Amino acid sequence: MDCYTSEETLPAITLGELLDALDGLDTVSEPRGIPFPQANSLDRVIDLCISLDFRNSDKDRIAEDYKFVDRQADYYSRAAEYLGLVRRTADKEVELADPGIDFLELRNSEATLYLTKLILCHAPFRESFDVLLETGEMPSADLVAEIIRENTWYTGSTHRRRASTVISWLRWIWSHVDRCYAV
């Protein structure tokens, strides 16, 4: 199987490709029972999927593989689950879900676009990204926290703490968009 590997960097997509993909992208409901992501490194989420390529893992093995504490392992596996890349088994192990397998089989900019769409189909990410597109600047943590509050059922200070993940993932997306080409 010819697929993405952790030694590679996902290639850039053009702004036109991204805008075309977003034009018909439906927003999904925020998943119940899966916490809003608290995993700032999207590359680690990708690496987690690669490490699961056709084998299951549990939180302890993930923590050991990445030199994480258990809590960090849970953050990254839950982030991948939020995106639909992985699922939990009855034994509480983590395995690739069909979208995760599809992602790993993609090549070139198709993989970047696929992952970007999995992120931006969630309203908190899409609305925050729309601010970036409109202003040309990364939205503030306060604005992102407000967008999260409006689109999820979280209360208290959770919005503010999760805003850093939204901003980090938007930075990842934006760093993979080749803005040199006209739309």
Side-chain angles (χ1 to χ4, degrees):
M1 172 188 321
D2 191 27
C3 64
Y4 174 73
T5 66
S6 62
E7 291 82 34
E8 297 175 289
T9 300
L10 286 176
I13 54 177
T14 68
L15 185 56
E17 288 173 319
L18 177 57
L19 294 176
D20 286 347
L22 294 180
D23 189 38
L25 188 63
D26 292 329
T27 302
V28 298
S29 298
E30 286 300 296
R32 291 280 184 179
I34 301 171
F36 194 86
Q38 189 174 355
N40 288 359
S41 173
L42 194 57
D43 286 324
R44 285 186 177 169
V45 174
I46 294 167
D47 284 344
L48 170 65
C49 292
I50 293 166
S51 75
L52 291 173
D53 196 8
F54 302 106
R55 74 176 173 99
N56 295 356
S57 196
D58 61 18
K59 183 169 50 173
D60 294 333
R61 190 174 320 145
I62 293 167
E64 183 179 321
D65 287 349
Y66 287 94
K67 309 294 186 258
F68 285 162
V69 296
D70 282 350
R71 187 177 62 180
Q72 284 177 303
D74 198 47
Y75 291 163
Y76 284 95
S77 63
R78 290 293 189 174
E81 187 177 11
Y82 175 87
L83 294 175
L85 296 166
V86 304
R87 64 179 162 250
R88 305 261 169 191
T89 68
D91 298 332
K92 298 191 180 189
E93 289 190 326
V94 179
E95 67 181 6
L96 284 175
D98 289 342
I101 294 168
D102 292 345
F103 167 68
L104 292 180
E105 290 177 343
L106 292 172
R107 298 296 295 160
N108 304 320
S109 61
E110 291 177 354
T112 307
L113 195 55
Y114 187 83
L115 183 58
T116 299
K117 288 166 50 177
L118 287 177
I119 295 167
L120 295 180
C121 70
H122 292 272
F125 290 90
R126 176 61 184 268
E127 290 181 22
S128 298
F129 190 73
D130 287 345
V131 170
L132 172 61
L133 286 175
E134 290 169 16
T135 66
E137 295 182 12
M138 195 60 62
S140 69
D142 289 337
L143 179 56
V144 172
E146 180 61 22
I147 291 169
I148 293 169
R149 188 192 65 71
E150 290 172 358
N151 288 284
T152 67
W153 53 88
Y154 292 103
T155 60
S157 63
T158 303
H159 315 106
R160 180 78 171 147
R161 292 193 321 268
R162 299 306 192 272
S164 66
T165 294
V166 172
I167 292 169
S168 293
W169 288 15
L170 293 184
R171 282 192 179 116
W172 184 94
I173 292 168
W174 204 234
S175 74
H176 285 79
V177 175
D178 185 348
R179 297 176 297 279
C180 294
Y181 294 100
V183 178

